[in-house]
Structure formats: C-alpha cells, structure tokens
Amino acid sequence: MVSRVIPVEPFDLVVFGATGDLAQRKILPALFRRYCAGQIPTGTRIIGAARSAHSPDEYRINLAQSLEKNLTASTFDPKDLAKFLELVSYVPLDGSGETGWSTLCEALSGAGTDRVQVFYFSVGPGLFGPLAERLHSYGLTNGATRIVVEKPFGHDLETARELNRTLASHFDEGQIYRIDHYLGKETVQNLMAVRFGNMLFEPLWNSQYVDHIQITVAETVGVLGREDYYERSGAMRDMMQNHLMQLLCLIAMEPPAKFDPDAVRDEKLKVIRALDPVEPYHIVRGQYAPASGAVGRDLNYRETVRNQRTRTESYIALKAHISNWRWAGTPFYLRTGKRLKARSSVINVMFKDAPHSIFGEEAGRHANHLKIRLQPNEGITLSVTIKEPGPGGMRLMDVPLDMSFAEALGPKGGDPADAYERLIMDVVRGNQTLFMRGDEVEAAWAWTDPIIADWEARGDVPKPYESGSTGPGDADLLLRRDTREWRGINP
Ligand code: NAP
C-alpha cells in the first residue's frame, strides 16, 4: 500500500509558543514527518516564535534534539534533518506586547499575497485575542491567512462567544481552524468511511437496531504538571465538552450530502442541538485516590493539586439522549477519566439481540458489536455470532472480524500519520472538514454549562475511585440500572 502525498505549494507557518510542550512534542515533529514524506516543498518557511531569547541557530540545535527525543526510531529520519532545519527559523516575540513583531514582519516579507500563511496559536488561551489583534495591526494577514487555535476554546459559553467575537473581528470563519486532534485520527475518519461508504451499516445505524453506544476515553496519566489548568477545568471541560462530544457527533450524525466542511459540520451541529439536558442522576463524577497500600506519585488527585477540599472531577460518566428520529430511545453512555486502568479510546456500538432465537436458550444469545478503537492500535472490530466449532451441538459464540490498520494496511498503515500531521496539512490545503466551527463549539458549551452550574449550585462532591481502576462504582451502577454493562477498559 503506497501512501499518497498530495503536493502543496510552498507556504509560511508561524508557530506561536514554539518552545512549549505541544509545539515540541507534536507540531514540529508532525512538520518534520511531513517533510520526510516529501510533502513540504523547498521554499516553505517555518518560523518558531516565543518569548525565550534564542538565536535561530540555538533554536535549530534545540529543535534537532527535541525531534530525536519526541519521535520514535522508526519515525525519526536523521538523513532529512539538516535539510528540514534549513526551513526553520526563530523570532523572540511577546504575543501580548510589541517586542519582536517587526522582526516577524521582516521574516515573513517577500511573500506574495496569495501565499498560504498559517499562524498556529500554540499558547495559552489568554493570548489568542492579543495575537489575532497584532497579526492584524502589523499587517501580517492576507486573504490566504489561516489561524489555528488550540483547545481550550473558552471556559464556558460566554467566554467561547467572546473569543469567537474577537477572532471574527479580524478573520473570516473560513480562516479559523479550531483544532481537536481527535478528529485527525485515522480511525475517526474511517468511522465516516465505514458508515457512509458501505451499505452494510447505515441501514442498521438507528434506535431500531442499536441498543446503545458507549464512548470511552481512558487515560492512565494523572494531572501532575498541569494541576492549575486542570483544577479550573476538570474532566467535563477538558475532555467531555470537546473530544467526546466530537466523537458523539460523528457516530450519531445524519449522512451529510457531501464530504465538505460545512455539510459535515452542519450535521454535527444538529446532533449537539438535539442533545437532551442530562439528568443529574445520569451523571457520575469521580476523583482518583490511592488504592489501599499503594505508594507512588500522583495517585491522589487531592494531594496532587494540593487542595483537600477540591470539587474538580478527574472522571466523568454520563448517559445522554439525542432527541431525534434516528436515535430516540437509544442511550449514549460517555465516560472519560484520568489514572484509569489502561490508556484506551474506544467507541462500542452495541446492537440489539436478534428478535428471536431459533436455536433455543441453551445455544446462548449473542448480539453483534462494533468496536472502534482510536488508541492504541487504531482499528475496527465487528463481532459476529457463529456456531461454536466441534460436535457439542448448536452452541453460539462471538468471533471478531478484525480490521486492525497495522495489519490491514501494511507497513504504511501500521504507522499511521499522527493526527497533527494530517490536520496541519489540512490547514495548509484549506480544508476545514476536521475542524470545529464556532457555532459547534458554542452549542457544546450551551449543553455543558447547565450541567456544571447544577453541580456548583448543589456543591456536588466527586466520588473517590482507586487509581488504576475502571472508575467509581457508581458508574457501573449507571449502566446496571439499565441492565447493561460497560465494556472493559483494555490497552
Ligand atoms: P506550554 O508548554 O506552557 O507552552 C506555552 C508556550 O507559549 C511557550 O512556548 C511559551 O514560551 C509561549 N508563551 C507564553 N507566553 C507568551 C507570550 N506572551 N508571547 C509569546 N509566547 C508566549 O503550553 P503547551 O502545553 O505547549 O500548550 C499550548 C496550548 O496548547 C495551550 O492552549 C494548551 O491548552 C493547548 N494544548 C496543549 C496540549 C499539550 O499536550 N501540551 C494538548 C492540547 C492543547 P516562552 O515562555 O518562551 O514565551
């Protein structure tokens, strides 16, 4: 299988926050990988910008080390490194002051008005507005300018609206790329291919055949190193409002008329707007705590954030309903948490039992189940019921029809492009399909805000759960009350 590289014209990409964690771990490695793949042409200019005082040479030396550290041996190709670094320069700059901006103007001079210029805001959200204003006032924008904005996009509906207004005063919606890296994952796009490229699934994709859907995003890491941000955010704002909401939209949306940005995003928006408010007793919040006798760093949320009275949740599970013709009566169970048993992002579509078993009760009842794995081991598995082999009579069992991308797509598929690679090149090509539109983000906050307001009004205290477990016991009860069970959290 040969991967297809769609050529692009030389472009300019400025990474604000180029010395930070995200730029070093994801954005610059993604650019290097695309360069190695032959997709970034000579003449492209990649400019790092941050406050730290580095000369361009110092920055390139640090970047070379950081690329080696942040890429695996199979993805780091030293032979292309020197040539890639020739495209890279660095400008010390204050995003909220005036220092460095004239140097950036010089570094970007000489570009024609139709040259694509991407400004990646890999900085704290407090700088999004000041950066947008300065790009404008220093005359650094043209019709082909695009800005990439990282999460968090607002803290609630009001702040998201304010941010949308600020950006809209300098850029058209078509120039704003609100990134959610989950949407760049191979499997997420395959989810659309599976649903809308096959006759097999779409006729069954509704409440008549689907019993329920589970979306799990489980992490093994805690919040150490991000305590202040996390205390202000919690699992609801950090994960549910964006990543899980986006996955829910893709799994539940109607087929768009075509695979184009606004057609897809219109359908996603309809899903969010059709979400019912969530009943308080359909929500479980948790905080990780050490298992008895366990010793180690960051096993206790309250200790890590140094606040014994904190009410911020590191885990949330909830049951959502979409009030539309397709999904009336089908619950969507969503859960996400830190310090869980395994790192695993999975969507499980649980089909209903066959209406009648011709084999009798002793054969066992098995429902089909489609498992969509986002990480690790991206792939899709469909469980199908067959006869248990052997002479033991007609007994039924499940077997997986497995489409692991690593196996199905050969060496290239086994090393799928990182989500950031795909998304950054989409920005350069001007394709917004996998980016959130402003109204989508606002609609997601409009659903989330009342839930959070209710906890705050009631002084709700999250339930402790053991680090390394599957979450609080109440989350199991949430499904057991409906005579259902969570699928396991497995690596
Ligand atoms: P970080 O490690 O704290 O880096 C922040 C960057 O911003 C640094 O390069 C810093 O460099 C620069 N900076 C700070 N103030 C500045 C100013 N006034 N002018 C110019 N540059 C300034 O943060 P991060 O983890 O990379 O996160 C960046 C953004 O991405 C945040 O919005 C975060 O929420 C989001 N995000 C991060 C991740 C992740 O995995 N890290 C994932 C998703 C989203 P100097 O100190 O040298 O100026």
Side-chain angles (χ1 to χ4, degrees):
M1 175 96 29
V2 180
S3 82
R4 197 159 61 101
V5 172
I6 304 171
V8 295
E9 294 293 316
F11 59 91
D12 294 335
L13 193 153
V14 179
V15 183
F16 292 111
T19 54
D21 176 66
L22 184 69
Q24 296 288 318
R25 269 192 320 109
K26 291 289 179 187
I27 302 169
L28 289 151
L31 287 164
F32 177 56
R33 289 250 289 153
R34 284 296 91 202
Y35 179 79
C36 296
Q39 199 169 21
I40 297 190
T42 313
T44 293
R45 298 182 291 194
I46 297 169
I47 301 169
R51 284 172 309 183
S52 302
H54 297 297
S55 70
D57 278 339
E58 278 165 5
Y59 183 76
R60 283 188 281 265
I61 290 167
N62 294 344
L63 177 58
Q65 289 165 357
S66 140
L67 288 173
E68 192 166 359
K69 182 174 125 207
N70 288 304
L71 288 166
T72 57
S74 66
T75 54
F76 179 73
D77 192 348
K79 86 175 166 8
D80 289 323
L81 183 60
K83 287 246 167 273
F84 172 72
L85 292 176
E86 282 173 20
L87 308 184
V88 179
S89 61
Y90 180 81
V91 174
L93 167 149
D94 182 1
S96 56
E98 307 312 317
T99 314
W101 283 89
S102 49
T103 316
L104 182 63
C105 293
E106 274 168 41
L108 286 170
S109 64
T113 50
D114 57 350
R115 182 178 171 101
V116 169
Q117 292 197 318
V118 178
F119 296 98
Y120 199 128
F121 294 5
S122 179
V123 291
L127 281 176
F128 295 168
L131 285 175
E133 280 155 22
R134 278 161 186 74
L135 286 175
H136 200 73
S137 62
Y138 280 91
L140 284 171
T141 57
N142 64 30
T145 297
R146 284 138 212 190
I147 58 166
V148 184
V149 186
E150 270 292 341
K151 81 166 204 186
F153 197 90
H155 184 72
D156 51 22
L157 178 57
E158 198 184 318
T159 48
R161 273 195 185 136
E162 180 58 35
L163 189 49
N164 274 335
R165 270 196 296 270
T166 305
L167 297 181
S169 61
H170 302 295
F171 300 97
D172 293 337
E173 181 62 32
Q175 296 180 291
I176 304 170
Y177 291 72
R178 296 172 193 80
I179 199 164
D180 181 329
H181 70 274
Y182 268 67
L183 295 185
K185 288 183 179 293
E186 185 76 18
T187 317
V188 170
Q189 289 160 77
N190 242 312
L191 174 57
M192 287 190 269
V194 165
R195 278 194 64 190
F196 305 130
N198 295 287
M199 268 305 285
L200 208 56
F201 296 108
E202 204 48 27
L204 307 179
W205 212 259
N206 56 55
S207 58
Q208 197 183 341
Y209 297 102
V210 176
D211 179 71
H212 72 281
I213 291 179
Q214 299 184 10
I215 303 179
T216 298
V217 177
E219 297 179 282
T220 50
V221 293
V223 300
L224 192 65
R226 298 171 69 214
E227 300 91 318
D228 292 346
Y229 160 74
Y230 203 87
E231 262 293 88
R232 277 179 277 114
S233 146
M236 187 68 165
R237 288 189 168 98
D238 186 46
M239 299 295 286
M240 188 67 76
Q241 185 272 347
N242 39 69
H243 301 318
L244 280 90
M245 177 68 81
Q246 288 296 317
L247 298 178
L248 173 70
C249 286
L250 293 176
I251 205 100
M253 72 183 184
E254 296 299 316
K258 49 188 169 173
F259 191 58
D260 94 4
D262 277 328
V264 171
R265 297 185 300 177
D266 285 347
E267 295 306 334
K268 283 162 58 194
L269 180 62
K270 284 184 209 162
V271 173
I272 306 175
R273 289 193 172 149
L275 277 169
D276 286 344
V278 184
E279 302 289 349
Y281 56 91
H282 286 161
I283 302 176
V284 177
R285 299 168 74 225
Q287 259 175 8
Y288 60 83
S292 78
V295 196
R297 287 183 79 199
D298 193 15
L299 296 177
N300 185 336
Y301 182 81
R302 293 181 166 218
E303 271 176 18
T304 303
V305 302
R306 293 177 302 280
N307 178 1
Q308 288 302 326
R309 296 159 68 88
T310 173
R311 291 182 176 157
T312 303
E313 76 287 352
S314 63
Y315 174 99
I316 183 166
L318 57 81
K319 174 177 166 182
H321 280 284
I322 299 171
S323 274
N324 65 15
W325 194 282
R326 183 188 285 262
W327 293 118
T330 299
F332 289 74
Y333 299 98
L334 279 56
R335 65 177 165 171
T336 180
K338 302 256 175 218
R339 276 265 173 252
L340 293 176
K341 188 179 159 213
R343 173 173 172 263
S344 166
S345 299
V346 183
I347 302 172
N348 283 292
V349 180
M350 312 299 296
F351 289 92
K352 290 186 174 170
D353 285 349
H356 165 70
S357 170
I358 63 168
F359 306 111
E361 283 310 309
E362 62 281 8
R365 294 289 284 268
H366 294 259
N368 298 117
H369 152 217
L370 186 71
K371 181 175 181 180
I372 300 148
R373 298 185 306 274
L374 303 161
Q375 68 186 17
N377 310 324
E378 293 191 50
I380 296 177
T381 307
L382 176 67
S383 79
V384 178
T385 304
I386 61 160
K387 177 192 166 297
E388 220 175 74
M394 188 51 128
R395 295 187 62 79
L396 303 181
M397 64 179 286
D398 287 338
V399 287
L401 288 183
D402 202 347
M403 193 182 82
S404 157
F405 296 156
E407 287 163 22
L409 305 182
K412 284 285 176 194
D415 179 21
D418 181 78
Y420 277 90
E421 290 178 51
R422 176 172 298 111
L423 293 174
I424 291 170
M425 294 321 292
D426 276 357
V427 178
V428 174
R429 282 190 292 263
N431 185 346
Q432 287 187 305
T433 310
L434 299 174
F435 295 83
M436 293 176 292
R437 210 167 52 192
D439 51 3
E440 259 184 89
V441 177
E442 289 185 15
W445 280 122
W447 180 75
T448 313
D449 274 5
I451 299 174
I452 297 174
D454 176 66
W455 301 337
E456 285 172 0
R458 287 189 290 111
D460 188 67
V461 180
K463 300 273 184 340
Y465 62 93
E466 285 186 1
S467 286
S469 71
T470 56
D474 283 10
D476 296 332
L477 283 180
L478 180 70
L479 269 75
R480 248 179 246 148
R481 280 201 298 260
D482 298 342
T483 61
R484 299 185 176 106
E485 278 189 2
W486 290 109
R487 305 292 301 183
I489 296 180
N490 302 310

